[in-house]
Amino acid sequence: MVIDLQKVIFNLKQNDNIVILAHKNPDGDTIGSSFALMYALQSMGKKARVLCNDDYPKDLIFAVGDYSEESFEAEYVVSADISDIQLLGNDVLNKYEDKIDMAIDHHRTHKSFAKEEYVQPTAAATAEIIYEIIKLLGVKITEKIANCIYLGISTDTGCFKYSNVTKHTFYVAGELVEAGANTAKINKRIFDTKSRKQVEVESIIVNSIKYYFDDMCAIVQIPADFLETHGATEDDMCNVTNIPRQIEGVEISVIIKEKEDGICKVSVRCDETINAALICQTFGGGGHYAAAGCVIGGDLDTAEKILIDVIEKRLKEINIV
Amino acid sequence: MVIDLQKVIFNLKQNDNIVILAHKNPDGDTIGSSFALMYALQSMGKKARVLCNDDYPKDLIFAVGDYSEESFEAEYVVSADISDIQLLGNDVLNKYEDKIDMAIDHHRTHKSFAKEEYVQPTAAATAEIIYEIIKLLGVKITEKIANCIYLGISTDTGCFKYSNVTKHTFYVAGELVEAGANTAKINKRIFDTKSRKQVEVESIIVNSIKYYFDDMCAIVQIPADFLETHGATEDDMCNVTNIPRQIEGVEISVIIKEKEDGICKVSVRCDETINAALICQTFGGGGHYAAAGCVIGGDLDTAEKILIDVIEKRLKEINIV
């Protein structure tokens, strides 16, 4: 059932021993939202704890500060920033699948799963909603709570870079600064810090970029053994899709990842020139105008050649090459 | 003479045929502030134009939109974001040195040069002050004006990443979004776009980093012929100081640039471990705790060896190595 903000407040005031669920592969928004709400409920004298299927990344959890895990029997279960029940992760799913009392989320793609649901897709982050909730609960936004909410908002907006940032997002950010959020420290660690391996791996990828069609199209191949060869982890690859995209003049950027089983996973990002989804549909894939994906059988060079042919055909159709 | 905001408004209302001076090597704040003020004055029916000693970088000026250069005899001269008269640049300096009626600036280091001065160091950008001025002039913040002010604020705050961002900065940013500022387009071009050469050069620099003291210190050497060797320009080097700094665990980052005349220019950036100014003072340089510079005679390897010795001595003194 869809509920309004007043009902969210009523539910939280009414209940105690509250478990807050964060989604698997936790990001800054699910962590920041969950811990901000936990701190707020605890300051009201309630028992509350956050539960997540997976470990919290060190580079995110530092922002929530020191906390202690309270042990109690869950009487009320809230999910924060979870758009689909599958995102609970297997362990949490098994225990809580049909026990979620209230979902708080901002995803446009939210699929209903809780008894009551508050979804606000104009919010840049679930943490932006949590800010409103905490204010309405009458709880002071402490420095710790401000840090949590800031973590959620800054990570979901690329530090205010994306187009999801609204006047209200900036308004909340201003309130968080006033409440003492340590924005510079959080920003430095999240947006201006890379591991040595990540920097090295990105340099290798930069040097492997192949350019086509007057450098309008940039292609990166990632062999199946890339991580092993370079002693890198998936974490070190978190920024790879941005590498060809950020290059001036590149309007079509393609990452081809070779899988162990003789297929290649392809991700295509486009500016305004062509429709990425159209390119990927040729291979049974799909997506949006700006971002799409598909799978192509064969090795890296084969996949690249086939893709280039399709892109060239499309560019010819619209008289660009 | 120091004046208040009311006097700034009085001066702008009172005068016509206004020339607005931007500083040499123009950045986003001087450009955004100057053009925002120009548009506002023009919408009041006044003649106004912006004057700058140097060309505007394409990657910044795009944000101000189309404008036409009005030709008229200057009756009133305002400087925007200029902290020191020398920053006018030679050509403009010769013509306007003693003719500046009013300076509007946010630099803490502002050195008085105009007949009247309005300096507000708590503003993250001069553009943040210009926003207040335009509101008080009673001029509507159009989309164009909003883009100019956003350009100034976003560039002077690293897209809201730096610690100079206040509650008021976020408040103004929110008003600009409401006024229609094209934030996503400006952010993409300024913060997420690099030339192909810049990306290549940065990759070369990443691979040349030398690490010392358990990787706590990272050093980059830049030979005198580096630009020539790689066909790069100074623009391609704009991000170089950030490369060693962003690496996880690096607390002391050093860039040694070889000059043609057998000396090396050194820039040192430190986190909290040691005082960069202390290191550089050893060589007759200076600066702040977090950022300092000096000049060392000799070639790159000599300079590096001498520096490492001084840093090691300092780290031993504080029992870190």
Side-chain angles (χ1 to χ4, degrees), chain B residues 213 304-314:
Chain B
F213 314 123
E304 176 168 323
K305 195 183 167 318
I306 297 173
L307 262 168
I308 287 300
D309 286 347
V310 169
I311 293 171
E312 184 172 21
K313 201 172 146 221
R314 182 70 196 126

Side-chain angles (χ1 to χ4, degrees), chain A residues 59 150 158-163 165-171 173-175 177-178 183-184 187-189 191-196 199-200 202-204 206-207 209 211 215 243 245-250 271, chain B residues 59 150 158-163 165-171 173-175 177-178 183-184 187-189 191-196 199-200 202-204 206-207 209 211 215 243 245-250 271:
Chain A
D59 287 345
Y150 186 82
C159 205
F160 306 95
K161 257 192 322 205
Y162 307 152
S163 54
V165 174
T166 65
K167 181 180 179 181
H168 186 261
T169 318
F170 277 130
Y171 164 77
E175 295 293 317
V177 168
E178 189 170 62
T183 57
N187 294 340
K188 167 97 169 77
R189 175 118 178 219
F191 301 106
D192 284 336
T193 304
K194 292 179 180 183
S195 74
R196 186 169 160 180
V199 168
E200 287 170 7
E202 290 185 358
S203 161
I204 291 162
V206 160
N207 290 312
I209 297 176
Y211 296 88
D215 303 348
I243 295 175
R245 282 179 75 188
Q246 71 179 344
I247 294 170
E248 197 176 356
V250 168
D271 283 354
Chain B
D59 288 344
Y150 186 82
C159 205
F160 307 94
K161 256 191 325 203
Y162 307 152
S163 54
V165 174
T166 65
K167 182 181 179 179
H168 186 262
T169 318
F170 277 129
Y171 164 76
E175 296 294 317
V177 169
E178 189 170 61
T183 57
N187 294 339
K188 168 95 168 78
R189 175 118 178 218
F191 302 106
D192 284 335
T193 304
K194 292 179 180 183
S195 73
R196 185 168 161 182
V199 168
E200 287 169 7
E202 290 186 359
S203 160
I204 292 163
V206 160
N207 289 313
I209 297 175
Y211 296 88
D215 303 347
I243 295 175
R245 281 179 74 188
Q246 71 180 344
I247 294 170
E248 196 177 358
V250 168
D271 282 353

Side-chain angles (χ1 to χ4, degrees), chain A residues 33 74 79 110 143 146 181-182 203 206 310 318:
Chain A
S33 297
S79 70
H110 184 93
E143 187 183 317
N182 200 338
S203 161
V206 160
V310 170
I318 51 177

Side-chain angles (χ1 to χ4, degrees), chain B residues 103-129:
Chain B
I104 303 170
D105 189 24
H106 78 122
H107 291 92
R108 216 167 280 283
T109 54
H110 184 93
K111 284 185 196 160
S112 176
F113 56 79
K115 291 172 199 152
E116 296 189 308
E117 308 237 328
Y118 182 71
V119 181
Q120 189 57 262
T122 57
T126 296
E128 195 178 325
I129 305 169

Side-chain angles (χ1 to χ4, degrees), chain A residues 18-74:
Chain A
I18 299 170
V19 166
I20 304 157
L21 304 179
H23 63 68
K24 67 177 183 180
N25 303 320
D27 63 5
D29 194 21
T30 200
I31 292 173
S33 297
S34 301
F35 278 88
L37 186 58
M38 179 187 86
Y39 288 139
L41 294 170
Q42 286 175 348
S43 84
M44 294 166 79
K46 295 176 189 292
K47 284 192 171 162
R49 69 164 180 270
V50 179
L51 187 65
C52 181
N53 197 78
D54 305 328
D55 288 341
Y56 304 117
K58 265 185 273 174
D59 287 345
L60 298 173
I61 196 67
F62 81 95
V64 313
D66 293 331
Y67 62 96
S68 54
E69 293 282 357
E70 288 187 292
S71 172
F72 56 82
E73 194 64 36

